[in-house]
Amino acid sequence: MTFVFRRAALGMSLIAGLSACVPTTPPQGAGPVLPAAATAPLEKNTAMYLGTSDNGFSVPTVPVEKVPDEFERQEVEYVSNQPVGTIIINPGAKHLYFITGANKAIRYGVSVGKAGFEWSGEANITNRKPWPTWTPPKEMIERKPELSKWENGQPGGPTNPLGARALYLTTNGRDYGYRIHGTPDWWSIGKNASSGCIRMINQDVMDLYNRVPDGAKVVVLNRDGSMPTGLKLPPPQPKKKQPAPVARPEIATVAPEATVLPVAGTVAPGTVTPGIVTPGAVSPGTGTQAPVVAAPEAALGNGATSLPAAVTTPVAPTPPTVPVVTPQTTAPAAMPTPGVDPSPIVTPPAAPLSVPVCAVPLVNGLCPQG
């Protein structure tokens, strides 16, 4: 019995050993392979996104139920040859890894540069600030003129775009304006939403701020997740076109009519100008011709706008001239003669008789002699 039992036991052991070499794939036609059991989702850690007070500012609670699991802060396995304390950012996956040990990291969800603002390369953290002041660059103000009110800086606070913390990045000692910072817009996490900066939930950036030292290395991977071979910056953004100035309609201006002032020696006869006596003018109340008075030389020269008063030379009074009225007779109309032009013959009027001037009263219409 003992011998039989031993042979049976040996046979069973041989069968078991041979079965380990059998392929685990089922024979053809045996049915599909069942998939492995799905990994249970991570339990939501609502405590790490609760509201808090920090440096006199209030950090609101983040509705963690609205944040996708992959963008919540968590410890993960991450294969890397980078030293502890290094930050690696994968723009394609929207993840930031803080290396904590061999193949270990803390992963955070982030938002990265939108189309046209992506960059890759290495940098170093050269400064860290809580509740930093945000100053939009000139290029951003050109794209969004409404930001000009913050050209001298927006003070830190809950509505500041840099959020509760900012880590300042430089490459080879040069600041290209890139930051790892918080944001009040937690719903932008997991998207291409920034102008090249790396955004984090405020509670996450506060956690990273307390872990990362100054001078820490930052690696931003290429879009496909490969390691960068150098600094690759986005192309310059086109400047916003300024609207063309609106041409104002020209308003025609009518020049005032020029006032023509008489020039000495050219005053029209019979025109009386104060202070100017012209030849041929009759002195009021005398009925006599005014003496000829020469106007001063260059009376209107050098831009003068008025005539100076003329200097007159006394002239001896002239006896009044008595006008002689000669009655005019009208000849009867002549009868037209055949063959003769019927146009009237115009006879010029007789010249007025010149009456001698009498210095004494007339006698019977005659000037006494002697």
Side-chain angles (χ1 to χ4, degrees):
M1 293 294 295
T2 303
F3 178 79
V4 176
F5 179 80
R6 288 180 179 178
R7 285 181 63 100
L10 181 61
M12 293 178 62
S13 299
L14 182 60
I15 294 173
L18 292 176
S19 64
C21 297
V22 176
T24 56
T25 54
Q28 187 173 4
V33 179
L34 295 177
T39 304
L42 296 174
E43 183 179 354
K44 294 284 186 179
N45 187 352
T46 58
M48 61 184 178
Y49 291 116
L50 291 176
T52 183
S53 179
D54 179 79
N55 289 351
F57 296 105
S58 176
V59 180
T61 298
V62 174
V64 68
E65 68 278 1
K66 296 183 179 181
V67 178
D69 297 338
E70 61 177 318
F71 299 133
E72 293 180 21
R73 185 198 327 162
Q74 54 194 283
E75 292 185 356
V76 295
E77 291 187 0
Y78 185 70
V79 178
S80 172
N81 58 0
Q82 297 295 327
V84 174
T86 301
I87 292 176
I88 300 177
I89 299 169
N90 187 335
K94 313 299 187 298
H95 287 152
L96 181 150
Y97 298 89
F98 177 69
I99 306 301
T100 57
N103 301 329
K104 296 289 185 180
I106 299 176
R107 190 181 73 188
Y108 306 86
V110 297
S111 65
V112 297
K114 53 190 175 183
F117 292 90
E118 307 99 328
W119 66 283
S120 61
E122 295 185 2
N124 292 96
I125 296 175
T126 54
N127 197 5
R128 299 179 301 156
K129 290 183 180 180
W131 298 102
T133 298
W134 176 62
T135 303
K138 294 181 180 180
E139 296 78 9
M140 184 177 292
I141 294 178
E142 290 178 356
R143 296 192 302 269
K144 299 180 179 180
E146 65 272 14
L147 298 179
S148 60
K149 63 180 178 180
W150 303 123
E151 61 182 354
N152 295 324
Q154 180 182 358
T159 60
N160 190 294
L162 295 183
R165 300 288 188 274
L167 311 177
Y168 295 78
L169 308 181
T170 60
T171 299
N172 298 325
R174 181 173 178 179
D175 184 357
Y176 290 94
Y178 296 125
R179 313 283 185 257
I180 300 173
H181 64 83
T183 178
D185 303 334
W186 56 266
W187 54 87
S188 67
I189 300 302
K191 301 177 181 178
N192 296 77
S194 74
S195 297
C197 289
I198 309 302
R199 295 182 184 178
M200 305 179 69
I201 296 175
N202 272 331
Q203 285 85 339
D204 285 345
V205 77
M206 293 167 66
D207 180 82
L208 180 63
Y209 178 92
N210 294 330
R211 296 177 185 273
V212 67
D214 288 337
K217 180 181 178 180
V218 177
V219 180
V220 180
L221 303 178
N222 296 320
R223 184 185 301 178
D224 59 1
S226 61
M227 289 293 292
T229 56
L231 182 63
K232 182 179 179 182
L233 299 174
Q237 296 297 311
K239 293 185 178 181
K240 184 177 181 180
K241 293 183 179 180
Q242 299 295 332
V246 180
R248 296 182 178 180
E250 296 184 359
I251 301 176
T253 57
V254 180
E257 296 182 358
T259 303
V260 180
L261 298 178
V263 181
T266 61
V267 181
T271 303
V272 179
T273 303
I276 302 297
V277 181
T278 59
V282 179
S283 301
T286 63
T288 61
Q289 182 177 358
V292 177
V293 180
E297 185 178 357
L300 292 179
N302 299 327
T305 58
S306 61
L307 292 172
V311 179
T312 61
T313 303
V315 180
T318 303
T321 302
V322 178
V324 177
V325 179
T326 303
Q328 297 183 358
T329 59
T330 304
M335 296 297 295
T337 303
V340 180
D341 185 3
S343 300
I345 300 175
V346 180
T347 303
L353 298 177
S354 176
V355 179
V357 178
C358 186
V360 295
L362 299 178
V363 176
N364 296 326
L366 301 176
C367 180
Q369 302 293 326

